[in-house]
Amino acid sequence: IETKIVGGTWFADAQALTDVTLTDKVERINNEAFLGHRNIRRIVIPPSVKRIGNGAFMCCPNLEEVTFHEGLERIEPEAFRQCTSLKEAALPNTLRYIGNAAFLACSSLESAYFGQQMDSIGLGSFYGCSKLSKIVVDDYTPAQCVNNNSAYVVIYTTGNYFLTSQGMSRNVVLFVPKGCTKRYRESETW
């Protein structure tokens, strides 16, 4: 796809798409760009993309694999909501913001990897991810988990570093950088 912005109804009639590789010219994936595409299985997000819009891939039930590259800064609310075949969210170090319900009801999601620059994780971002069992955070400072400028506890640690949240598995292991355990324990939002 040779454009700076992907979105609107461009792909409304392209339901046969299964593998999508965007070019380095794409800078933004607009709201609902691929909403409801039942056949998409894989997508490669190039380093040039800075923002994935609201509901961009919402209700893509066969989306199994998303390749994120360094450069992505924002995943807006509901971007991957109900992508029920997605198994992993390996997010780049450049990602700073995950909007509310971004991965809500991704019922096959087993692991999530957060990079070093995460500032904000929206309310319910991983609600309903019942198979989520592993979260790796590569940041020395815990990100804020927020909604409307108010902090919400969406994930919290116990003495054994297991965490839970409504709609998530109670056997999720949180991995943080060595020497940061106390900082995450004392954070109001983790």
Side-chain angles (χ1 to χ4, degrees):
I1 298 170
E2 298 283 335
T3 183
K4 287 187 176 193
I5 300 170
V6 173
T9 57
W10 293 1
F11 302 102
D13 296 323
Q15 292 293 322
L17 287 174
T18 59
D19 289 61
V20 177
T21 301
L22 303 173
T23 69
D24 283 336
K25 291 184 180 182
V26 176
E27 296 172 358
R28 183 173 72 219
I29 300 172
N30 266 357
N31 300 350
E32 302 179 357
F34 294 90
L35 173 69
H37 279 265
R38 302 192 64 73
N39 293 318
I40 291 179
R41 295 196 185 287
R42 282 174 285 293
I43 182 147
V44 177
I45 311 289
S48 56
V49 172
K50 304 291 182 224
R51 177 185 170 273
I52 298 175
N54 294 25
F57 296 96
M58 185 166 62
C59 298
C60 292
N62 294 307
L63 182 61
E64 299 170 353
E65 181 182 332
V66 179
T67 303
F68 298 99
H69 287 281
E70 299 298 323
L72 181 65
E73 296 172 1
R74 296 180 65 90
I75 295 178
E76 299 296 341
E78 302 183 301
F80 294 94
R81 180 180 182 160
Q82 292 179 305
C83 290
T84 55
S85 295
L86 190 62
K87 290 183 174 26
E88 178 181 85
L91 304 169
N93 283 322
T94 53
L95 188 67
R96 301 183 71 84
Y97 171 85
I98 298 176
N100 295 346
F103 291 91
L104 183 133
C106 290
S107 56
S108 295
L109 193 67
E110 297 172 355
S111 58
Y113 301 86
F114 298 97
Q116 299 171 348
Q117 296 184 38
M118 185 64 64
D119 291 330
S120 178
I121 300 172
L123 181 67
S125 293
F126 295 92
Y127 183 87
C129 297
S130 56
K131 290 186 179 177
L132 187 61
S133 62
K134 180 179 181 181
I135 296 177
V136 177
V137 181
D138 194 23
D139 197 341
Y140 291 93
T141 304
Q144 279 290 332
C145 302
V146 297
N147 183 37
N148 298 331
N149 298 321
S150 300
Y152 284 82
V153 176
V154 293
I155 302 171
Y156 66 89
T157 60
T158 68
N160 293 324
Y161 317 113
F162 288 89
L163 53 118
T164 183
S165 179
Q166 276 188 318
M168 281 173 77
S169 167
R170 295 200 180 272
N171 295 314
V172 179
V173 178
L174 174 65
F175 296 88
V176 299
K178 187 175 183 175
C180 296
T181 306
K182 182 178 179 188
R183 193 174 300 151
Y184 275 84
R185 271 194 200 154
E186 292 174 353
S187 171
E188 291 181 24
T189 57
W190 287 85

